[in-house]
Amino acid sequence: MWNPEVSGHVTDGLIANEPWFGPCHFYSNELWHFDLSADRPRYVSAAVNALRLGSCPVRAVLIVNPNATSTTPAGRDLLAHALESRVTLTVEHTDHRGHAIEIARDATRDGVDVLIVHGGDGTVNEVVNGVLGNCGVRPDPGAAPAVAVVPGGSANVFARALGISPDPIEATNQLVDQLGGYRLGRPWRRIGLMNCGERWGVFTAGMGVDGEVVAAVEAQRAKGRKVTASRYIRVAVREMLAHARKEPTLTLHLPGADPVTGVHFAFVSNSSPWTYANSRPVWTNPDTTFDTGLGVFATTSMNVWANLRLARQMVARNPQIDAKHLIRDDSVSSVTVTSTTPVACQIDGDYIGMREIMTFTSAPEALCVVAPTKKTA
């Protein structure tokens, strides 16, 4: 770490504002203090503005998934270095499935202010579930850490839907700006989530062919194959063609409406777009946002030509999504999907197994996030 003691642009001082005590330096309007509690004495930083407001320094945990698609050692070091000059930072690396849940849960209990995720959508989902815990308890976002994301996966759907750049360097700059705004008194942004009964979902869930696609992609990842947008599309086409010969097993239950039988697959969204094919957004429910209810997208036909027309609408620049075999609603309070036989289910791109019934419920303003302010019409 850069040591401000060697700089010619440093003003010396003494700090006695608990938990800080000892010699300090001011450099470029940043406060650096000598931390005797670390494994070895070192200078750490905190914002002068936070001190002026009489508040404690922002405590943050950077949770890194080193196995995520686009994370690199150099990128991780650059991110940590940029953050260390603005928050009191701890860095944690995940090393097994579910580890991010454990790290986030412990950090929440410890009263950390911000959890910064450097990984893909799966890691984000784990962190959110570690922060909020049991789906049966209404979350209090004001009592939990805010969640920030510096994209490190392949699609990075959640981050991009929040307005965060998919480029890690640009996303880091955005994060630094947001942290600066918070130190000046700007509140965190709050977003709605999807209560899936057994866990929280942040942007999407699906039953039927959607779950089968995710399961097939995870199987390929387990064999050491890199997951790319083109590989995902190839798997999706294969699974769609296979399901075209199968009888539908799903029934869709929407509030205030008769059950819809004969459904082949159902997508439930908490934001838009649904996913990305490289840089191109793929839409199912264009008007669904983190501030509306949930989006529902389901089909009663697997006719190849009908679904090819639908797929063309989903990747259009100005999507107008409509078809006779499509059930779509961009803002519902809840939706239940039942099946006559167990079918594959996914949440946020993570295969969770076979299910016969799933209920998805909108949970407004359930999570604080470090992200650009939502766009207004």
Side-chain angles (χ1 to χ4, degrees):
M1 178 186 293
W2 169 79
N3 188 335
E5 196 172 36
V6 302
S7 171
H9 304 283
V10 174
T11 302
D12 295 323
L14 180 68
I15 188 168
N17 184 25
E18 191 177 342
W20 305 332
F21 185 84
C24 67
H25 304 282
F26 290 96
Y27 177 83
S28 297
N29 204 36
E30 293 284 348
L31 174 68
W32 294 75
H33 70 99
F34 199 61
D35 182 9
L36 297 175
S37 66
D39 294 336
R40 60 182 179 84
R42 61 173 183 169
Y43 278 94
V44 297
S45 65
V48 174
N49 285 329
L51 183 62
R52 287 173 178 165
L53 291 171
S55 61
C56 294
V58 175
R59 297 173 58 211
V61 175
L62 173 61
I63 302 174
V64 179
N65 179 356
N67 297 317
T69 305
S70 58
T71 59
T72 65
R76 296 194 294 268
D77 292 344
L78 181 64
L79 172 60
H81 182 73
L83 293 172
E84 282 177 331
S85 65
R86 290 157 178 86
V87 298
T88 300
L89 186 70
T90 301
V91 181
E92 300 280 358
H93 291 78
T94 62
D95 58 22
H96 59 267
R97 191 184 185 100
H99 194 189
I101 295 178
E102 300 164 10
I103 296 171
R105 182 171 56 232
D106 292 344
T108 301
R109 291 172 177 168
D110 194 37
V112 166
D113 301 298
V114 182
L115 297 178
I116 303 163
V117 186
H118 186 36
D121 290 314
T123 309
V124 172
N125 178 277
E126 287 194 3
V127 168
V128 170
N129 276 276
V131 168
L132 299 183
N134 190 344
C135 286
V137 178
R138 169 65 186 173
D140 178 5
V147 174
V149 183
V150 175
S154 53
N156 303 303
V157 179
F158 178 69
R160 291 158 89 169
L162 284 173
I164 296 171
S165 172
D167 177 73
I169 295 177
E170 178 59 31
T172 300
N173 290 333
Q174 289 180 292
L175 174 57
V176 167
D177 289 343
Q178 295 296 321
L179 291 171
Y182 178 72
R183 292 200 301 262
L184 292 172
R186 185 188 307 156
W188 301 128
R189 177 179 168 186
R190 293 190 180 189
I191 64 168
L193 293 178
M194 181 164 49
N195 183 339
C196 303
E198 57 194 74
R199 66 193 294 180
W200 295 98
V202 297
F203 68 94
T204 188
M207 289 183 70
V209 67
D210 188 29
E212 297 285 357
V213 170
V214 170
V217 170
E218 287 196 3
Q220 295 200 13
R221 182 187 284 115
K223 295 178 181 178
R225 297 175 182 171
K226 185 177 180 180
V227 177
T228 62
S230 60
R231 184 181 297 278
Y232 192 95
I233 291 171
R234 288 197 301 270
V235 172
V237 170
R238 185 190 68 201
E239 293 296 328
M240 289 287 286
L241 292 175
H243 274 73
R245 298 186 293 270
K246 296 181 180 180
E247 291 296 318
T249 65
L250 302 182
T251 298
L252 199 65
H253 306 262
L254 293 169
D258 293 333
V260 180
T261 59
V263 173
H264 288 268
F265 63 85
F267 303 153
V268 184
S269 298
N270 188 49
S271 64
S272 294
W274 174 60
T275 190
Y276 287 86
N278 293 321
S279 61
R280 172 172 287 188
V282 181
W283 308 88
T284 55
N285 301 88
D287 294 327
T288 300
T289 73
F290 292 114
D291 304 299
T292 66
L294 303 179
V296 177
F297 181 101
T299 66
T300 56
S301 171
M302 291 298 289
N303 179 273
V304 173
W305 297 112
N307 283 304
L308 281 175
R309 287 192 295 271
L310 189 59
R312 189 164 57 247
Q313 296 175 19
M314 292 167 65
V315 296
R317 292 185 181 276
N318 297 300
Q320 302 293 324
I321 301 172
D322 186 36
K324 291 181 179 179
H325 67 296
L326 176 65
I327 302 103
R328 175 188 153 207
D329 193 317
D330 287 4
S331 185
V332 299
S333 58
S334 66
V335 56
T336 297
V337 184
T338 59
S339 178
T340 55
T341 60
V343 296
C345 183
Q346 67 87 13
I347 298 174
D348 291 338
D350 184 20
Y351 175 63
I352 65 169
M354 308 293 281
R355 300 288 187 274
E356 293 184 19
I357 181 171
M358 289 290 293
T359 296
F360 308 95
T361 306
S362 175
E365 297 191 340
L367 181 73
C368 286
V369 293
V370 184
T373 304
K374 63 184 179 181
K375 296 180 180 179
T376 57

